[in-house]
Amino acid sequence: MKVLFVNKFFFPHGGAETVFFQERDMVKSVGHQVIDFSMQHEKNIPSPQSDFFVENVDYHGKHSIVNSLKVALNFIHNQQACEKFEKLVQQEQPDIVHFHNIYHQITPSVIKIAQKHGCKTVLTAHDYRSVCPNYSMLAAGETIDLDWISGRYLSLFKYQWQDGSWPRSFLLALETLYHRIMKSYEKLDAFIAPCEFMKTMILRQIPTANINVIVNGIDASTTEIGQDGGYFLFCGRLMKEKGIETLAKAHQKLSGNTPLKVLGSGDMFEHLQQHYPNVELLGFKTGDELTQIIKNAKAVIVPSEWNENCSMSVLEAMSYGKPVIGANIGGIPEQIIDGETGYLFEAGNADELAIKMQLLADNESLVNAMGQKARERLLEKYSLEKHKVDLLNLYTSLLDQ
């Protein structure tokens, strides 16, 4: 078969791109043909279809009034992306078009073009953009109720929930309203939801959607169970919604001297540095140094206060045989078996988190037992091979319809 992969970034950029390139390689590995469509960028990896890529659009730069209007229109419906995408589809005639992150720079307007030319269409919901005007289902620091926002997209901008900006929030609301009116997402043959929670959220906004839960995967052949190095670990962006301050508060409540190491950068770095001097802020790490820090942790903490999807941080920890203490929110409770592969706690509750951390700080044998079960669960449910089989089965089922 011929599969056209569409994503706005064509270089390693985040968790969505990790899955995007994994799946692209999977399809190639079994002998199918892969075609690419993305945005031009100096960091892009080479692609035979790069001439078709849409021009790079910077939505965060300063623009004149005229250019700002043009940028705003492209944000909602990028005509150049539609024209280039249609030329590529006409030339290559793919059987399946698999969309990943397409909003803003490419826009969901391209979905109807693929449908018009008889392609089967799939979109992986890496975040909540297809059902909510922003990505995280947060407004003014609180989780958005999807039942409340239905039909109220334009009123949401008053919360300044996108980068604290009314104009940006208003533009996102307009984009959502436009594609809701155009029924862009309803034109898809299938959604891929990386967790059951995401499936539920999509169905609440698009009841007719065909949603297949295909969890993210990790190549466990490149990992192994590590040692208990005696420290707790957080990996991620240092932002309020990631729950990093709740974790820092919980760490202060522990008896004993089990260190907390924090990997990552973000808006809260200086705040944590000033108010929580006992937290070891390691900054951003990559490569073998990053691997060794994760591999030798006692346990990994995922204290998110927004609805995570299928967290790659949880999976990476499990692949190294680490227990995970995670917030009972979004897709996290689907990944962690409470009391067996780690612990769950109420999001934002530092007291409860501290209790769960203390259990592991005081019991090395429990750490080892939970870590072993976490690794076994990863191999059973979250292997890259299982992900590949499920993905190819979905493709085949769509072509057989």
Side-chain angles (χ1 to χ4, degrees):
M1 69 180 78
K2 226 184 227 191
V3 183
L4 170 53
F5 282 93
V6 186
N7 192 67
K8 61 183 179 179
F9 298 118
F10 205 70
F11 59 91
H13 185 263
E17 283 69 44
T18 297
V19 177
F20 170 77
F21 285 114
Q22 280 177 346
E23 293 182 344
R24 186 173 171 271
D25 291 342
M26 288 174 189
V27 172
K28 273 184 169 182
S29 71
V30 293
H32 299 307
Q33 185 176 345
V34 165
I35 309 155
D36 308 312
F37 186 75
S38 187
M39 178 180 68
Q40 296 170 10
H41 196 283
E42 61 184 12
K43 294 182 181 179
N44 280 357
I45 66 172
S47 168
Q49 290 82 39
S50 59
D51 288 345
F52 289 94
F53 289 7
V54 67
E55 289 178 5
N56 192 324
V57 183
D58 179 11
Y59 290 113
H60 298 280
K62 294 182 178 180
H63 303 280
S64 67
I65 293 176
V66 173
N67 281 339
S68 292
L69 290 173
K70 181 180 178 182
V71 165
L73 288 174
N74 283 336
F75 189 92
I76 296 169
H77 171 87
N78 191 325
Q79 185 60 33
Q80 185 202 65
C82 290
E83 291 171 358
K84 288 195 164 192
F85 179 77
E86 185 157 30
K87 287 180 181 177
L88 179 61
V89 169
Q90 288 174 325
Q91 175 181 297
E92 299 292 340
Q93 298 182 354
D95 301 297
I96 290 173
V97 181
H98 190 157
F99 301 101
H100 285 259
N101 281 350
I102 57 174
Y103 39 76
H104 309 342
Q105 285 85 350
I106 295 175
T107 74
S109 295
V110 297
I111 296 172
K112 66 181 179 183
I113 295 172
Q115 183 197 46
K116 182 178 79 172
H117 289 279
C119 308
K120 296 297 184 180
T121 54
V122 182
L123 182 139
T124 297
H126 294 286
D127 54 38
Y128 301 95
R129 191 67 194 86
S130 58
V131 295
C132 178
N134 72 357
Y135 319 94
S136 59
M137 287 177 56
L138 290 173
E142 300 295 330
T143 301
I144 296 173
D145 185 338
L146 284 181
D147 292 336
W148 184 88
I149 70 167
S150 296
R152 300 186 184 184
Y153 307 121
L154 296 181
S155 64
L156 270 176
F157 82 97
K158 69 182 179 182
Y159 290 106
Q160 299 187 66
W161 37 253
Q162 187 60 34
D163 302 328
S165 167
W166 277 330
R168 214 166 278 163
S169 299
F170 186 65
L171 190 56
L172 278 169
L174 276 177
E175 180 199 21
T176 303
L177 181 60
Y178 174 82
H179 289 293
R180 195 54 85 230
I181 292 171
M182 298 301 295
K183 296 188 179 298
S184 297
Y185 293 107
E186 283 85 343
K187 293 178 172 64
L188 290 162
D189 291 299
F191 277 90
I192 291 176
C195 68
E196 291 288 345
F197 181 84
M198 177 63 77
K199 177 179 179 177
T200 301
M201 293 300 101
I202 296 172
L203 285 174
R204 286 172 64 177
Q205 290 291 292
I206 311 173
T208 60
N210 171 25
I211 306 174
N212 300 261
V213 176
I214 300 180
V215 298
N216 294 336
I218 290 282
D219 183 3
S221 68
T222 64
T223 63
E224 61 184 0
I225 293 179
Q227 301 299 313
D228 178 357
Y231 56 87
F232 292 112
L233 179 65
F234 169 92
C235 307
R237 296 189 303 277
L238 306 187
M239 304 168 69
K240 181 181 182 299
E241 56 264 36
K242 288 292 186 178
I244 181 60
E245 186 157 27
T246 297
L247 172 57
K249 289 177 180 177
H251 181 249
Q252 288 182 327
K253 298 174 184 293
L254 297 184
S255 62
N257 57 353
T258 306
L260 170 61
K261 297 180 185 288
V262 171
L263 280 170
S265 58
D267 297 341
M268 294 193 68
F269 189 93
E270 291 183 1
H271 176 80
L272 294 169
Q273 197 172 43
Q274 180 179 354
H275 292 90
Y276 303 96
N278 290 332
V279 174
E280 297 181 34
L281 298 171
L282 305 179
F284 183 76
K285 303 291 184 182
T286 59
D288 186 61
E289 186 177 12
L290 171 64
T291 298
Q292 291 303 315
I293 294 171
I294 299 174
K295 185 176 178 180
N296 294 311
K298 174 181 289 293
V300 172
I301 318 295
V302 184
S304 293
E305 293 171 16
W306 74 289
N307 292 309
E308 293 272 6
N309 198 350
C310 184
S311 170
M312 294 300 287
S313 294
V314 174
L315 299 188
E316 287 170 357
M318 292 167 64
S319 74
Y320 288 105
K322 303 290 125 184
V324 181
I325 303 176
N328 193 3
I329 191 170
I332 294 174
E334 297 174 37
Q335 297 177 282
I336 299 168
I337 301 178
D338 191 30
E340 291 189 27
T341 66
Y343 290 114
L344 295 170
F345 72 98
E346 180 187 15
N349 189 330
D351 291 332
E352 186 181 359
L353 174 55
I355 291 171
K356 300 299 171 68
M357 292 172 70
Q358 194 71 59
L359 290 172
L360 295 183
D362 294 340
N363 193 332
E364 186 174 344
S365 63
L366 178 62
V367 169
N368 293 333
M370 282 188 164
Q372 181 68 45
K373 289 181 179 178
R375 169 81 178 182
E376 291 170 1
R377 178 165 170 77
L378 179 99
L379 295 174
E380 177 185 347
K381 185 172 181 178
Y382 297 100
S383 73
L384 217 50
E385 182 62 28
K386 184 178 186 304
H387 184 101
K388 179 174 75 172
V389 170
D390 291 345
L391 178 69
L392 294 175
N393 284 343
L394 172 60
Y395 288 170
T396 301
S397 68
L398 290 175
L399 292 177
D400 287 343
Q401 290 177 2

